[in-house]
Amino acid sequence: MTPRATPAPDMATLLLAGGKGTRLHDLTARDSKPAVPFAGSNRIIDFAMANAVRSGLRRMLVATQYAPRSLHHHLPTRWGDRFEPRGLQTRDGRDLYQGTADAARRCWAPIEAMGGDQVLILAADHVYDMDYGALLAAHRASGAAVTVAVDTVPRAEATEFGVMQADATGRILTFREKPADPAGMIGDPGRAMVSMGIYVFDRAFLRAALFDRPAPAMDFGHDVIPDAVAQGQAAVWQLPAGPSGKAYWRDVGTLDALRRAQLDFIETPPARLPFACPVTDWYLGQGSIAMPGAVVPQGARLTNSLVAPGTQVPAGLVTGDDPDEDARWFTRTDAGTVLITQAMLDRRAAHAHIRRSVTSPAPFKRRGLHA
């Protein structure tokens, strides 16, 4: 991959990759959210990793937690020659990270060893295209202690994000994490400015925020960023347009968002895929996606479906025609996305076998005649 025009100098970088992603249902039964496949052989985490490579970052610490095994295999296999040294932080279930800020505090020793005056915090579970070097340059120019990368979304869709208002200079005036009634942007009240979960901190400020607070900060969105806003020390950096001419960032934390984001990459990709993967390998048509190892015969007709990795779809399977029938056997969202896994198909097949056994007539036996 060709580096960006604005390479990021040496600085400490922490990639947070421990999320479970419960809203992805069975797709994260054995894998963390960042490890979920996206558009063929890519994984969600690969977008952050590719951005780091293109931005010229040479060192990164990856904090893992939930179901880390597949990530621990995937990262060195695909990215191991890109970053040295690598740190994979994991917990065994007895001493879990209590939030994003708690993960940074527990990883502080290797972060400190990386050196540099700034610390870059990245999220591993979003699909986006970003030059981290440009973010760092804007942070240094702002004079703020922390810069939050932001995008804008319709106000009604902002309840799942950190929402802020900023003045004309980019200084953050208000910040609320996942508000029930998100604040509209100044000058554009129909849209909301939301945090991408990506931050650049001055090292000294972050150290004090993590260790000198009376009550330990557990989460960036709930604790650290609101404190910085209250001190007048927080600024925003707006995600610029990508290859499509528009900014593209998606939190693919639901089945609907995961399916729709992959559909965005079919004709005119809104952002660069980390690695090329032929559309024919993963797009089934009719709004449906096949994940790695899934086998879907031509006789199946799937609509708005996600076929989980390794799933063997039987010939003749139909989804999308009858919402009640879909929901009976599969996970179906209110918006109509259908998740199909092998276990679901096995239960469906077992029920059909039992039903056939019960409804089939018993073999006719002629009674014997006795004198």
Side-chain angles (χ1 to χ4, degrees), residues 202-225:
D202 285 350
R203 176 184 295 277
F205 180 89
L206 180 57
R207 184 191 300 111
L210 295 177
F211 294 99
D212 297 344
R213 201 171 183 266
M218 294 299 177
D219 188 78
F220 286 121
H222 285 103
D223 304 318
V224 178
I225 303 303

Side-chain angles (χ1 to χ4, degrees), residues 90-353:
T90 185
R91 296 290 181 264
D92 59 8
R94 294 174 296 177
D95 188 23
L96 299 177
Y97 300 136
Q98 299 303 305
T100 53
D102 186 46
R105 180 169 45 250
R106 297 184 188 219
C107 294
W108 189 254
I111 290 174
E112 190 79 31
M114 289 182 185
D117 295 329
Q118 281 81 37
V119 179
L120 176 63
I121 305 293
L122 303 176
D125 52 6
H126 298 154
V127 174
Y128 66 106
D129 195 352
M130 180 184 288
D131 181 353
Y132 301 137
L135 168 61
L136 177 61
H139 169 74
R140 289 176 168 170
S142 73
V146 56
T147 297
V148 181
V150 301
D151 196 10
T152 63
V153 300
R155 183 178 171 185
E157 299 176 9
T159 57
E160 293 299 315
F161 305 103
V163 178
M164 67 209 81
Q165 293 177 311
D167 64 19
T169 70
R171 194 68 49 153
I172 301 176
L173 304 175
T174 65
F175 183 95
R176 293 180 62 197
E177 183 73 4
K178 299 183 179 180
D181 184 19
M185 294 174 58
I186 296 174
D188 190 0
R191 297 187 67 80
M193 181 179 290
V194 299
S195 169
M196 297 173 64
I198 297 172
Y199 319 102
V200 177
F201 287 95
D202 285 350
R203 176 184 295 277
F205 180 89
L206 180 57
R207 184 191 300 111
L210 295 177
F211 294 99
D212 297 344
R213 201 171 183 266
M218 294 299 177
D219 188 78
F220 286 121
H222 285 103
D223 304 318
V224 178
I225 303 303
D227 286 356
V229 171
Q231 299 170 34
Q233 291 291 317
V236 299
W237 179 77
Q238 177 74 48
L239 178 68
S244 66
K246 297 181 180 179
Y248 188 85
W249 168 73
R250 295 291 184 270
D251 180 351
V252 287
T254 67
L255 294 176
D256 295 316
L258 179 65
R259 183 180 64 84
R260 289 169 181 165
Q262 293 179 82
L263 297 179
D264 290 341
F265 285 80
I266 292 171
E267 294 182 358
T268 305
R272 283 172 285 191
L273 284 169
F275 289 87
C277 186
V279 170
T280 53
D281 288 354
W282 52 271
Y283 179 52
L284 301 172
Q286 296 184 289
S288 296
I289 305 296
M291 293 184 167
V295 177
V296 182
Q298 291 185 349
R301 180 164 56 84
L302 309 182
T303 302
N304 296 340
S305 299
L306 287 167
V307 185
T311 300
Q312 308 290 306
V313 172
L317 180 67
V318 175
T319 63
D321 286 359
D322 186 337
D324 292 335
E325 184 69 9
D326 290 342
R328 183 182 184 188
W329 304 112
F330 310 115
T331 298
R332 183 187 185 278
T333 70
D334 292 340
T337 295
V338 179
L339 173 63
I340 304 169
T341 70
Q342 189 62 53
M344 296 172 188
L345 289 173
D346 290 345
R347 287 193 294 270
R348 180 175 178 271
H351 182 273
H353 175 74

